[in-house]
Amino acid sequence: LTGVWMPDGESMLLGGVDYTTSRIWQVSLQGNVRMLDWHGLEKMGTVSIDKKGALAFIASDPETLPELYYAASVEDKPRRLTNFNAKISTLESGKTASISWKSHDGFEVHGVLVYPPDFDPEKRYPLVLYIHGGPMTSDTEAFSSKLYQRLFATQHDWILFSPNYRGSSNMGAKFQRSVSGDAGEGPGRDIMAGIEAVKAMGIVDEKRIAVSGWSYGGLMTTWLTGRYPQGWAAAVAGAPVTDHVDQYNLTDLNISFKYFYGDSSPWLGDNIESYRKQAPISLARYSRTPTLILANTGDARVSITNSYKFYHALKDNKVKTQFIAYAMPGHFPGDPVNRRDVFKRWMSWINENFEAVER
């Protein structure tokens, strides 16, 4: 939430993610801070405030999709005004839960699990990682944040795991900035430690673990399959960043990408070695995971050259792979037909390779 001033001009509302929940804080001109108690609601979009301090906003919680809410003041419990998504919210879907673990260097890391309907803690389920992009965003427990994960869990009886690896926006500035100069290794070790924490719960079919994600989630997918080539049954890499030099030269972020590498151009001195060392393409020759690659040809944020390179690296190393390029602009297909196609292929690829694993 971009800061919204209260009517008296003495304080403003600011939003952010706290572990695995979106929160709103009221911050005064004197520096006093208090978190609003919105009873599990997570705001979506902006907050409108009238001259008397009444608030209107769209919000979701772990059980329901977004609806319009009203509160007479910041002290009041919000009241739901609409019921547009009632039918969808009542459909059978899994529950969400937070999980936390310690990473290799002591960082506390948090994530979200989505369980399939009728989850039985005595059974073992396939585990699918659904890694967020950014990296400076976060996964929360809100229904709206976990819509596709719930779909995957419900359709195929999988457990979905979304780790908020270092670089995420849920644990303060130090945690977020720690990804700078450590684009793959640190986040990768966070995620692998998270997988071990989930395994320790005794609910994972360890022969059926898949890794997937879009954008920086695609970067982490391609990094993990090369850095840790054993143990993955399938991978789906959407708009993956695989070559940081291409990101510097060919995208809308262009030279701002250098801030991941100490404010340094790859074309000065031997800086390009640092770019290559942190890029998944440097590890592609080690990957043995069946991998589906998805990307838009006109993506300005992550150039499609990243995907072409990774596809050829896998194919030349005799790794099962498929590359689908959508002939359109944008960082993700914007129309409903191609969006549906993305998620249909995403689920089908994982399911196909899970079924190929010997029981």
Side-chain angles (χ1 to χ4, degrees), residues 21 49 100 112 140 174 179 202 218:
T21 304
I49 306 176
S100 64
V112 179
T140 71
K174 182 179 179 181
V179 74

Side-chain angles (χ1 to χ4, degrees), residues 41 48 50 54-61 64-73 76-86:
L41 290 175
S48 297
D50 72 8
L55 301 90
F57 54 90
I58 294 172
S60 175
D61 64 25
T64 59
L65 282 163
E67 298 289 352
L68 179 63
Y69 287 81
Y70 167 85
S73 71
D76 272 13
K77 180 181 179 179
R79 176 166 56 91
R80 191 167 75 181
L81 300 181
T82 62
N83 208 24
F84 288 119
N85 291 307

Side-chain angles (χ1 to χ4, degrees), residues 79-274:
R79 176 166 56 91
R80 191 167 75 181
L81 300 181
T82 62
N83 208 24
F84 288 119
N85 291 307
K87 185 173 182 179
I88 299 175
S89 295
T90 58
L91 294 177
E92 184 180 46
S93 67
K95 303 294 184 182
T96 61
S98 291
I99 182 173
S100 64
W101 63 94
K102 291 287 186 181
S103 193
H104 63 283
D105 54 1
F107 265 134
E108 183 181 78
V109 188
H110 294 254
V112 179
L113 292 171
V114 178
Y115 297 108
D118 302 320
F119 170 72
D120 180 353
E122 300 301 317
K123 290 177 57 178
R124 294 179 181 265
Y125 295 83
L127 180 69
V128 176
L129 275 71
Y130 192 110
I131 305 174
H132 71 72
M136 296 168 183
T137 58
S138 299
D139 275 298
T140 71
E141 291 187 69
F143 199 124
S144 53
S145 173
K146 288 283 154 294
L147 189 58
Y148 296 119
Q149 289 92 322
R150 285 174 181 263
L151 173 64
F152 284 28
T154 302
Q155 288 275 312
H156 294 287
D157 216 28
W158 299 337
I159 295 173
L160 272 291
F161 176 40
S162 297
N164 286 328
Y165 53 91
R166 70 190 59 205
S168 300
S169 58
N170 66 320
M171 290 282 290
K174 182 179 179 181
F175 186 73
Q176 189 174 68
R177 291 171 184 162
S178 63
V179 74
S180 181
D182 188 14
E185 186 68 23
R189 292 173 77 175
D190 293 343
I191 293 169
M192 294 304 292
I195 294 173
E196 292 304 313
V198 180
K199 286 181 179 179
M201 299 168 67
I203 57 176
V204 177
D205 176 354
E206 296 189 18
K207 290 184 178 181
R208 291 172 176 78
I209 300 177
V211 57
S212 66
W214 199 274
S215 193
Y216 210 95
L219 183 158
M220 291 313 309
T221 296
T222 52
W223 174 273
L224 290 167
T225 56
R227 180 67 175 82
Y228 305 96
Q230 305 302 320
W232 308 109
V236 178
V241 176
T242 65
D243 187 331
H244 300 323
V245 177
D246 280 12
Q247 287 299 102
Y248 179 93
N249 291 317
L250 300 174
T251 71
D252 59 355
L253 293 174
N254 55 71
I255 63 171
S256 67
F257 213 80
K258 67 183 180 180
Y259 295 111
F260 268 95
Y261 304 97
D263 191 13
S264 185
S265 164
W267 306 118
L268 297 178
D270 59 359
N271 292 340
I272 199 167
E273 296 306 318
S274 176

Side-chain angles (χ1 to χ4, degrees), residues 320-340:
K320 179 182 177 182
T321 184
Q322 186 178 70
F323 175 25
I324 305 298
Y326 295 90
M328 62 180 61
H331 189 43
F332 189 89
D335 65 289
V337 173
N338 283 297
R339 279 179 177 255
R340 181 178 184 273

